[in-house]
Structure formats: C-alpha cells, structure tokens
Amino acid sequence: MTESGAWWREGIFYQIYPRSFQDSDGDGVGDITGIIHRLPHLMTLGVDAIWLSPIFTSPMADFGYDIADYTGIDPLFGTMDDFDALVKAAHDGGLKLILDLVPNHTSDQHSWFLQARQSRDDPHRDWYIWRDPAADGGPPNNWLSEFGGSAWQFDTETGQYYYHAFLAQQPDLNWRNPAVRAAIYNVMRFWLGKGVDGFRVDVIWHLIKDAEFRDNPANPDYHGERPPHEQILSRYSADQPEVHEVVAEMRAVVDEFDDRVLIGEIYLPLERLMTYFGKDLGGAHLPFNFALLSAPWHARDIERIVADYEAALPPGAWPNWVLGNHDRPRVASRVGAEQARVAAMLLLTLRGTPTLYYGDEIGMHQVPIAPAQVRDPFEKNVPGIGVGRDGCRTPMQWSALAQAGFTQAVPWLTVADDYTHENVVNLSADLRSILNLYRALIRLRKTHRVLATGSYRPVAAQGDLLLYRREGDGEVLTIALNLADEPVSIATEGSGLAGTILLSTWLDRDGERIDGALDLRGNEGVVIGRSA
C-alpha cells in the first residue's frame, strides 16, 4: 500500500490507559482481558485503531513507563496469551493495535541496568549514560529531571553518576551505543511479528544527548509556578541533530513489515517538530501534534494554530491532531462541558489523523485528587503547582453500578463523583449526548470521505466564530464553530455557506436548509454540506 492510501491517514486512533479501562480480575486495576471485554464499545464508537499505554513487565514506579522486560507482559495486566487474544479480537473486530514503546529509558530493575551497575567494566556499562562527578563531587552538569531535582543519580558502588531524564528509577539508555539500538530494534520486531500494527514512541526527542554534556542554558521566561525543570532550556539534553538518524532507523524497522505506523511523542516548537517527519519523509509517519492541548480556546488563536501547522508541513507529510492524553488535563475541564462538544467537532473535521483519549467521548472531566490519594510520582516530587496527572487517568465510567462498572474492588484511583449519570450506558440512551455526538461525527467522517482526505481551506470570520472548509471528491463541507456562549448569525449570501446541515453539535438540526443566514446558538457547531 502506498503511503497516500495508508490506513493510518484515514483512521481514527483511540488511546487506552490500561490501568483505568476495565478490571476483569477484581484487583482494582484494569487489564488486558478487561480491554477485550470492552472492544464492542470501541467498535460501536467507530474508531479504527487503539493505542495502549505500556503493559510490559514493570515495577510500576511510573506506572509502566519504567520497563523491566520489553518482551514480557506484566502480571498486573495479564499474560502473553491474553495479549495474543487481544490482538486477535481487535483484528477480528476491524481494529488496529498500537503499542507504547519506551526506548529512552528502562527500569532500574531491568537486567541490563542491574548488570551495568555491577562494575565500570561490565559489558552493559555503556548501555547507559555514566559520568564522573564534577570537581566538587556533585553532578556532572546542570541537567534537571522532568520529575524534579537533578537528572543525575550517584551510584556509590561504582563512584559515578547515571543520567535519568525522569525518575531515578528510570535510567536513560545510551542511544549512541549501536548495541542499544540493535536491542530495541529487535524488541520492535518481536511485537511486530506478533501482529501489532505499529508503535507510539515515548519521548522520542530525548533519545540522543549532547556528546560533550554541556550545561543547559537558563530559561529567561521561567517563573516559579512552573515545574522546576523548566528553569533551564533542554538545549543539550534533548532534540539533538543525531536523533533523526535513530528515528529513520526505527522507521526502517517498521517498514520491514506491511502497513505499520510509527508515531512519535514530541513536545517541541513547530519548526522543530516538523523535522521528525525525517528526510524525504523517512522519519515518523505521525509526529504527534499537541498544539490543541494548550491552545487558548479562542477562534482566532485556533485559526492561527491550524494555519501555522498546515503551512509548516513538509510536502507530502500528513497532519494529525490530539485533544487529550494521559499526561494533560481533560479537554472537558479545559474548555467546559458545552465547548467539549465543539472541540469534538473540531478534532474530527480538521484535516489529518485524529486521536481520542479514553473517556473524552463521554465528557469525562479532570478529577480532583486528595493529597492522601495521589499516585503520580510527578505530583509527589513536585507538589503544589498542579502538575499531577492522576486526574486525567481515573477509571472509565461504564455504568451507574458501583465504581462505575470498572471494578468490583477498590479502584486504584478514585472514580469521578458524577459517574452515576455520566457513563456509557446512560449516555448511549440519551440521543443528544456527547457520546452520541462522537458516534455521529465518526459516522459522518466515514460517510463523507472528504473529511478524511479533502483539502483544508480557512474562511474569514470574526469574534469567536471559527469557519473552514473541507473540499474534495466533488463535495464541499463547511464547518462553523461558535466558541462563545452567545448566539451568532452569519449572512450566507455570497459566502459559500449555503447548503444543508449534516450535523449539529446538539444533534437536532440534521437536514436543515441554510440559505440567507446561518444562526448558531452559543457553544454550537455545525457541518454544512453541498456539491462542489
């Protein structure tokens, strides 16, 4: 299949945080069998691929992002037989399966690191990043951990520091070592051989560090309400030029198998993000575009973000959009419950591959977590400034049963207090619910292929009205989104807005003819269709 017709270009991705999706064995933690049990929900929703946050063997210092065995399934989530059953069930149901690859660091309990710290002469020593102390005995440089404190941990047995961009229990691998690269590429081949359809690569821009380990410069824009690691700019500890060679090698491994996808997690400015598509588009198929995660929720800001992103794309590169993930506050809390419906229409009508975060389809909000119940190591290390990620990782709200139908035990994180009415069962029965809006938007996207493959054309608008067109295959769809609480009326004569409403965010205007004026209620969006 040529890339222009690849499934991931027209598909819709859905991220599952396995700990919080469905518990099947009564321990209060979600698992693989639970995911299998809930696949019908995803099929009804209409998504095309599921991405699982890590399920590999792990001490769970960072809830699976500290891997002790890259080719093992943690017993908390099940067995390899369970995983094989999930691959088969997903594929039988028409769903692709994407795994979270975490190649930047391992657990400090991984056999590679246990061997590496035995002595300076161990063959695995250079698999990690070790440096002698500074002249004063302190850390080798000023690099900071994203989870607080120095990024260097002193090892008393061997008298050197090792580098960890995140927790001290997550030592960074040395990606300048060819043996490390070969080992991770073989891990990729192992899972691709088992039928997974690709990888989302965690913190891919961190993989290569400055060879001279120079101090990072101070951040002139830092203020005390931000995480401490932002005091310095990561000029030398991430996004080094040599990282693109690694990304190209990962892409080559993925390309050994048919119809697979490589997705990169990259939090970088736009111009640097674009480089991860690689030379001649030989890098990541989809460097994640997180612009909407922190966008001011105003029409002109979003219009500019979309325009800048579209203009920056290299020729032939394919865009993508994300509204939420396991690290950022829930979209319904960022923009409000009513605007969450408008945000859903935005996500599913922009040009490019959309990714949904579990629970966003039912409007799950950011859940306040009491200090005594905090599980996130980031919040524990850097308390008091709101960096905790637990609030966006709470259990999926399936029904009004105890613990939202997620578990029969005490859940690992508290369930949101609105679960008795905001849940899949209730919202399925409500014909105008946000869940049924998501289903309708996905059906519309698949019925009108122009939403998946057509061009994007902005339309001039004022105030908090966002207008754009999707054109192709003899069809023009106009999307009108009111990002304000107040109603707005737009003259359609000569504007190209005339046509028939195919969908409203309130699911009550289908088939309405627009000719003369388009009236939008506050917090309403519509898709208008007409022939080209």
Side-chain angles (χ1 to χ4, degrees):
M1 177 183 294
T2 63
E3 188 168 303
S4 62
W7 61 268
W8 47 266
R9 288 171 66 107
E10 298 185 29
I12 299 167
F13 287 70
Y14 183 100
Q15 182 190 357
I16 291 175
Y17 195 69
R19 296 180 68 91
S20 297
F21 204 59
Q22 179 65 60
D23 172 26
S24 72
D25 58 9
D27 64 356
V29 179
D31 47 49
I32 294 171
T33 299
I35 294 171
I36 295 172
H37 177 66
R38 294 299 187 180
L39 288 180
H41 167 68
L42 303 181
M43 296 172 194
T44 301
L45 184 60
V47 298
D48 301 288
I50 54 176
W51 148 37
L52 303 184
S53 290
I55 52 174
F56 312 111
T57 308
S58 169
M60 300 294 164
D62 190 23
F63 299 112
Y65 284 90
D66 50 317
I67 295 173
D69 180 359
Y70 281 101
T71 57
I73 300 294
D74 196 279
L76 186 69
F77 299 121
T79 67
M80 190 63 77
D81 286 343
D82 294 332
F83 177 79
D84 291 338
L86 173 60
V87 173
K88 183 178 188 304
H91 288 169
D92 287 350
L95 294 167
K96 305 288 188 180
L97 183 65
I98 309 299
L99 289 186
D100 217 322
L101 181 69
V102 188
N104 179 69
H105 47 265
T106 70
S107 165
D108 62 354
Q109 299 305 304
H110 196 294
S111 61
W112 299 341
F113 189 70
L114 294 176
Q115 294 172 62
R117 72 189 314 176
Q118 286 182 359
S119 78
R120 296 192 184 193
D121 299 323
D122 189 274
H124 279 85
R125 185 71 171 186
D126 192 47
W127 284 44
Y128 294 86
I129 299 171
W130 300 88
R131 302 290 289 174
D132 289 331
D136 63 359
N141 63 24
N142 72 343
W143 296 359
L144 297 176
S145 163
E146 295 209 5
F147 285 171
S150 172
W152 296 96
Q153 180 70 25
F154 188 67
D155 181 65
T156 56
E157 295 298 318
T158 58
Q160 283 187 313
Y161 284 86
Y162 67 84
Y163 177 71
H164 58 94
F166 298 93
L167 295 175
Q169 299 97 314
Q170 294 171 294
D172 278 41
L173 286 164
N174 175 17
W175 273 85
R176 294 182 182 275
N177 185 335
V180 168
R181 298 189 187 192
I184 296 297
Y185 300 158
N186 282 334
V187 166
M188 295 171 69
R189 294 184 181 100
F190 173 83
W191 293 108
L192 291 166
K194 291 184 76 66
V196 305
D197 298 287
F199 300 99
R200 173 267 190 187
V201 184
D202 187 62
V203 298
I204 198 170
W205 82 104
H206 273 264
L207 294 181
I208 297 287
K209 289 75 173 171
D210 178 51
E212 299 176 32
F213 295 93
R214 287 169 283 188
D215 278 355
N216 278 325
N219 180 0
D221 299 322
Y222 178 76
H223 57 83
E225 295 179 357
R226 298 296 303 158
H229 74 273
E230 294 183 12
Q231 296 175 64
I232 59 175
L233 302 173
S234 57
R235 179 174 299 169
Y236 298 115
S237 54
D239 191 35
Q240 299 302 291
E242 301 95 325
V243 75
H244 300 293
E245 176 184 304
V246 173
V247 179
E249 290 174 358
M250 287 185 169
R251 170 66 178 273
V253 173
V254 168
D255 285 348
E256 293 172 14
F257 299 77
D258 291 337
D259 299 339
R260 312 302 168 95
V261 66
L262 186 70
I263 305 168
E265 182 198 26
I266 305 158
Y267 285 95
L268 286 174
L270 185 59
E271 67 279 3
R272 289 159 66 191
L273 172 67
M274 292 300 152
T275 64
Y276 285 79
F277 281 105
K279 183 180 180 182
D280 300 322
L281 301 184
H285 293 99
L286 299 173
F288 259 148
N289 168 23
F290 296 127
L292 293 179
L293 291 180
S294 56
W297 203 249
H298 303 294
R300 301 288 71 77
D301 290 298
I302 294 174
E303 182 179 63
R304 175 186 49 78
I305 286 169
V306 177
D308 289 349
Y309 180 73
E310 284 278 352
L313 285 167
W318 189 246
N320 69 91
W321 297 95
V322 178
L323 274 180
N325 65 28
H326 63 291
D327 288 330
R328 295 301 179 98
R330 289 274 184 183
V331 62
S333 293
R334 296 201 312 269
V335 306
E338 291 186 323
Q339 278 294 315
R341 302 173 75 102
V342 176
M345 183 168 279
L346 175 71
L347 177 69
L348 289 161
T349 59
L350 284 173
R351 190 176 81 97
T353 302
T355 296
L356 282 60
Y357 183 49
Y358 87 94
D360 281 352
E361 76 273 24
I362 58 171
M364 283 178 61
H365 64 265
Q366 190 79 1
V367 178
I369 305 295
Q373 297 177 317
V374 168
R375 305 293 300 274
D376 182 10
F378 192 7
E379 174 69 10
K380 289 182 177 181
N381 288 357
V382 188
I385 60 172
V387 296
R389 301 168 296 175
D390 291 335
C392 67
R393 300 175 175 183
T394 56
M396 181 66 175
Q397 295 160 211
W398 295 108
S399 71
L401 296 175
Q403 309 299 354
F406 164 72
T407 182
Q408 295 182 351
V410 176
W412 79 283
L413 273 178
T414 186
V415 176
D417 57 11
D418 64 353
Y419 80 86
T420 55
H421 47 91
E422 301 298 323
N423 61 66
V424 171
V425 171
N426 282 6
L427 295 177
S428 292
D430 178 355
L431 297 182
R432 295 183 182 176
S433 69
I434 189 171
L435 174 57
N436 280 315
L437 171 62
Y438 266 96
R439 290 171 175 168
L441 281 164
I442 292 171
R443 284 196 302 271
L444 187 73
R445 188 179 177 90
K446 295 187 174 184
T447 303
H448 297 265
R449 193 163 176 262
V450 63
L451 286 174
T453 62
S455 63
Y456 167 85
R457 297 284 184 271
V459 178
Q462 301 297 318
D464 252 335
L465 179 66
L466 182 64
L467 294 175
Y468 53 94
R469 291 198 181 97
R470 303 297 312 282
E471 302 177 3
D473 295 327
E475 190 173 23
V476 177
L477 301 188
T478 301
I479 294 86
L481 305 176
N482 185 1
L483 275 63
D485 296 331
E486 298 300 318
V488 63
S489 182
I490 317 153
T492 62
E493 293 181 3
S495 68
L497 284 174
T500 301
I501 292 182
L502 303 177
L503 188 65
S504 161
T505 50
W506 295 105
L507 299 169
D508 59 357
R509 298 179 67 178
D510 294 11
E512 181 181 327
R513 180 69 189 171
I514 302 300
D515 189 9
L518 169 63
D519 295 317
L520 290 177
R521 293 166 286 192
N523 306 304
E524 182 181 28
V526 296
V527 179
I528 303 167
R530 63 178 174 84
S531 298

